[in-house]
Amino acid sequence: MNKDNLTYVGKQLLIVVVIMFVAVLVLAAGLMVGYGVIGDGDNAFAILSPEKWQELMGKFTGK
């Protein structure tokens, strides 16, 4: 492999990482809007806490 190929692969991997980061941000924003605004939750940031996810998983699994 020459330098041009490695540069191309590096740029492509950087694009993939940036897209994944943006996707995580959009997912978090969507969860916050859905829970805080549409779902009438107390605090929109509460949906991002591990305790809330344990509570939600407990409701779905019956534990």
Side-chain angles (χ1 to χ4, degrees):
M1 294 185 87
N2 60 18
K3 185 179 178 186
D4 292 336
N5 287 341
L6 289 176
T7 303
Y8 176 76
V9 171
K11 287 181 182 179
Q12 295 300 312
L13 286 175
L14 180 63
I15 290 171
V16 169
V17 169
V18 168
I19 289 173
M20 289 175 61
F21 180 72
V22 169
V24 168
L25 288 178
V26 169
L27 175 67
L31 285 170
M32 290 170 53
V33 167
Y35 182 73
V37 177
I38 298 172
D40 293 329
D42 298 339
N43 181 7
F45 291 101
I47 194 65
L48 302 177
S49 71
E51 294 82 19
K52 181 56 77 176
W53 282 98
Q54 288 177 350
E55 177 186 336
L56 291 171
M57 288 300 148
K59 288 181 182 179
F60 286 117
T61 60
K63 294 182 182 178

